[in-house]
Amino acid sequence: MRNIVLFGPPGAGKGTQSSKLISKYQLIHLSTGDLLRSEISAGTALGLEAKGLMDKGLLVPDEVVIGMIAAKLDANTNAAGFIFDGFPRTHAQAAALDALLEEKHTNIQVMLSLEVSNEELMKRLLLRGKDSGRADDQNPEIIGKRIEEYNAKTKPVAAYYQAQGKLKNIPGMGSVDEIFDALCIAING
Ligand code: AMP
C-alpha cells in the first residue's frame, strides 16, 4: 500500500494537489476537514460540536478525527493506498495513525510537506473564501488563529516523521503543475 501524508499550513495547496495525486496514483483521499464539513452539512451532533471550534479556527478534539479516520480505513480495506490531507494535525493523531496502520500491516511511506510563506497563505485563503464561501476562509482573524494553531500544534508533527526518515520538504510557491511534478518526484524517489 502507498500511504502518503500531505502536510502544510492552511492554504498550502493540499486539497488541490491531493486531487491530482489521487488520480495519478489511484489513492483514496482522506481529508478530515472535508469529513467534518460533511458532518456539518448532514446536521449530526458531531458536526454541530465541530462547527463551533472550526468557526473559531481551533482544532477539533483528537478522538473525533481519529475516530473518523479509523472508520474510513475500515471501510476501504482493498485500497491501493491513502492520501491523508489535513491529518495528522497533532502528535497524538500521528501516533494513533501509526497504530491504526500497523493493525492493517501497513505504514506511512512519506510525509510531503508543502512550504508556503505566511503572506501568501493569507492571500490564498481570502481568495478561496470568496470562491468557496467557507466561513473560516473569509475572516483574517480566524485565518490568523488557524495559522497560530498550525504553528503551535501541527508544525511539530513534521519532526515526528523526520525522526522516522520520512519527511520531504517541497516548495509550495510555484505553479500547480510545478509543485505537482516535485511531489511526484518525491513519491517515486
Ligand atoms: P481543513 O479543511 O483541513 O483546513 O480543516 C478545517 C478545520 O477543520 C480546521 O481549522 C479544524 O478546525 C478542523 N480540522 C480538520 N482536520 C483536523 C484535524 N486533523 N484535527 C483537528 N481539527 C481538524
Side-chain angles (χ1 to χ4, degrees):
M1 263 179 131
R2 193 197 288 277
N3 301 309
I4 296 167
V5 175
L6 193 53
F7 190 70
K14 301 187 295 293
T16 304
Q17 295 296 338
S18 286
S19 37
K20 291 172 75 72
L21 290 169
I22 57 170
S23 47
K24 174 161 174 149
Y25 294 101
Q26 311 297 311
L27 304 174
I28 291 185
H29 183 211
L30 291 185
S31 154
T32 40
D34 286 351
L35 294 171
L36 289 165
R37 282 183 289 277
S38 303
E39 295 282 340
I40 293 173
S41 306
T44 65
L46 190 157
L48 205 67
E49 185 200 337
K51 187 176 180 340
L53 294 162
M54 290 165 77
D55 283 350
K56 294 193 187 89
L58 300 173
L59 293 186
V60 167
D62 287 334
E63 317 80 74
V64 171
V65 286
I66 292 167
M68 290 192 317
I69 289 288
K72 287 288 170 188
L73 293 179
D74 285 343
N76 291 283
T77 44
N78 292 324
F82 295 93
I83 181 146
F84 297 93
D85 164 4
F87 180 91
R89 261 177 157 99
T90 63
H91 187 278
Q93 292 177 25
L97 179 59
D98 271 353
L100 286 170
L101 292 176
E102 201 179 319
E103 274 174 27
K104 307 206 175 318
H105 310 289
T106 184
N107 61 13
I108 293 294
Q109 178 198 331
V110 66
M111 169 189 261
L112 304 170
S113 176
L114 289 170
E115 303 195 302
V116 178
S117 72
N118 278 352
E119 306 83 75
E120 175 73 12
L121 294 176
M122 185 65 83
K123 226 169 64 190
R124 286 189 193 174
L125 288 169
L126 287 169
L127 204 70
R128 184 170 83 184
K130 278 195 203 139
D131 295 341
S132 71
R134 261 180 68 173
D136 61 347
D137 282 345
Q138 290 179 9
N139 178 331
E141 247 172 68
I142 297 173
I143 293 175
K145 188 74 211 168
R146 286 161 66 201
I147 295 175
E148 214 177 276
E149 285 275 87
Y150 175 80
N151 286 327
K153 296 175 187 161
T154 305
K155 218 172 178 180
V157 174
Y160 179 93
Y161 289 94
Q162 190 170 29
Q164 297 183 11
K166 292 179 177 173
L167 172 65
K168 292 195 183 175
N169 292 309
I170 311 289
M173 299 278 281
S175 73
V176 169
D177 285 337
E178 275 165 3
I179 299 165
F180 180 63
D181 289 345
L183 290 171
C184 294
I185 290 169
I187 291 170
N188 298 333

